[in-house]
Amino acid sequence: AEPPVVWIPRPVHDDALVLLREHADVRLGYGDEAVDFDAVAPEVAAILLRTARVDGDMMRRATALRIVARHGVGLDTVDLDTARERGIAVTTTPTANTQSVAEHTIALLLAVRRGLGIAARDGGEDGAATRAAIRGRELSGSTLGLIGFGRIASRVAHIATHGFGMRVLAHDPLLSGAEITERGAEAAPLDRLLASSDAVSLHVPLVPQTRDLLGLAELLSMPEGGVVLNTARGGTLDEDALLTALRRGHLAGAGLDVTVVEPLPADHPLRNEPSVLITPHIGAQTAEAMRRMATDAATSILEHLR
Ligand code: NAD
């Protein structure tokens, strides 16, 4: 039989092409031999989708289409209703960036606890004064509270416990206490977690129940000098409340990879807080995560077509 046709509209890591070419006829929407969707529509069996769009009209024209494998996790570029109607599988790569985001969370934790943002920014102007002003805190022996204890938070817990000797508490209403223990943390209700944690890190999806999960009352219930981290989704942390808690001197700092508005405008008040370190949603931006997203999507295609 003819190998199935896989169409890849935009560039992905070469390792995915190598995997697919063992069993499929790979057509690219870019490069020297670029073909567009119209040319492959009648025979395409699978699409490996990174940033492009697959709408209902495309699915109806691609009568042999059996799977759309998304590189990453968002599904807003795929018409899921039409896919369901036509029996087309839609997959994502939810584990591909877990380690990268966990490592970025730890990077922010270290940076905020040691004042690295201030040190790197002001250290050149008056190095002696900056040096004298910075009093970092070690991670060892401190307590980390994780809100949401899924894939990323579990990796964070592992690194924090085994790498730094931290005590790790976790709150996740969808997991039992036994499951949380098994994944390597101590289960705690939210109020006790907040009251006991030197650093609190968000790892929940943004859903109605998690919107503004950390508001002013929650932030003020943390110990004085605490820090807050968010590598999950903007909107789970109330940014006005964070500003208030920082300006009152209750919290010592924050590390944010995600914000309500992205990228965060240059004149946003959070940018003027010296103890807040902001990164522009780079948690998954590593060579390893990019490669894994591509090869995981390729593997889904091969398993589905087999
Ligand atoms: P996951 O689904 O494995 O874990 C999420 C956890 O949150 C689940 O265990 C769930 O039970 C829990 N949860 C749901 N509602 C909750 C609530 N009300 N209170 C407490 N816990 C609740 O997801 P993950 O892969 O670990 O991702 C975690 C977050 O990180 C998501 O928001 C995801 O979008 C985000 N993320 C960010 C980046 C980045 O670039 N910064 C990259 C990937 C993922």
Side-chain angles (χ1 to χ4, degrees):
E2 295 281 299
V5 172
V6 178
W7 186 57
I8 308 180
R10 301 256 212 289
V12 298
H13 197 285
D14 279 345
D15 286 3
L17 306 186
V18 172
L19 270 176
L20 287 168
R21 281 184 177 130
E22 284 179 27
H23 305 280
D25 176 1
V26 177
R27 314 276 179 85
L28 305 177
Y30 56 94
D32 294 341
E33 286 161 33
V35 287
D36 63 16
F37 182 71
D38 291 334
V40 293
E43 40 178 0
V44 67
I47 300 177
L48 198 169
L49 196 66
R50 188 166 154 196
T51 51
R53 178 167 287 281
V54 177
D55 60 27
D57 178 54
M58 290 167 76
M59 290 180 193
R60 281 183 287 275
R61 283 154 64 210
T63 49
L65 184 61
R66 288 165 54 197
I67 175 171
V68 176
R70 173 82 173 78
H71 178 293
V73 286
L75 283 174
D76 43 309
T77 55
V78 182
D79 181 339
L80 295 177
D81 292 334
T82 307
R84 203 173 303 117
E85 270 165 34
R86 303 186 63 85
I88 297 167
V90 179
T91 62
T92 60
T93 58
T95 60
N97 54 29
T98 302
Q99 181 69 18
S100 291
V101 182
E103 290 186 14
H104 191 63
T105 307
I106 297 288
L108 288 176
L109 173 62
L110 279 167
V112 173
R113 291 269 290 187
R114 297 301 291 270
L116 296 193
I118 300 167
R121 192 168 51 228
D122 305 339
E125 281 172 29
D126 187 353
T130 303
R131 182 162 186 272
I134 287 179
R135 284 290 175 272
R137 299 290 306 270
E138 290 184 349
L139 299 184
S140 174
S142 73
T143 300
L144 174 63
L146 302 173
I147 302 180
F149 201 51
R151 291 176 288 260
I152 293 169
S154 306
R155 287 307 301 162
V156 170
H158 181 86
I159 301 168
T161 308
H162 299 283
F164 296 107
M166 298 181 83
R167 174 184 178 212
V168 180
L169 304 178
H171 167 70
D172 191 319
L174 304 183
L175 295 177
S176 70
E179 283 169 309
I180 289 179
T181 310
E182 187 156 311
R183 291 186 192 186
E186 209 180 299
L190 187 58
D191 55 353
R192 189 159 71 76
L193 178 146
L194 292 168
S196 318
S197 298
D198 303 293
V200 167
S201 188
L202 286 158
H203 298 282
V204 291
L206 179 63
V207 292
Q209 300 91 303
T210 61
R211 183 170 290 280
D212 293 333
L213 185 62
L214 291 186
L216 190 58
E218 288 75 25
L219 297 176
L220 295 180
S221 74
M222 288 175 59
E224 203 159 309
V227 306
V228 172
L229 307 169
N230 191 1
T231 56
R233 281 289 176 264
T236 57
L237 167 66
D238 178 342
E239 292 171 355
D240 291 334
L242 175 65
L243 276 167
T244 303
L246 289 164
R247 286 172 180 169
R248 286 192 195 172
H250 187 78
L251 293 182
L256 310 177
D257 190 45
V258 291
T259 46
V260 173
V261 179
E262 294 182 10
L264 194 67
D267 61 355
H268 192 283
L270 276 173
R271 290 213 184 267
N272 287 325
E273 290 297 316
S275 63
V276 178
L277 199 67
I278 296 161
T279 54
H281 208 137
I282 59 166
Q285 298 284 107
T286 64
E288 290 80 6
M290 297 305 274
R291 177 186 171 280
R292 236 178 267 124
M293 284 191 267
T295 55
D296 285 3
T299 302
S300 300
I301 289 175
L302 292 175
E303 281 173 359
H304 196 80
L305 295 182
R306 192 166 289 143

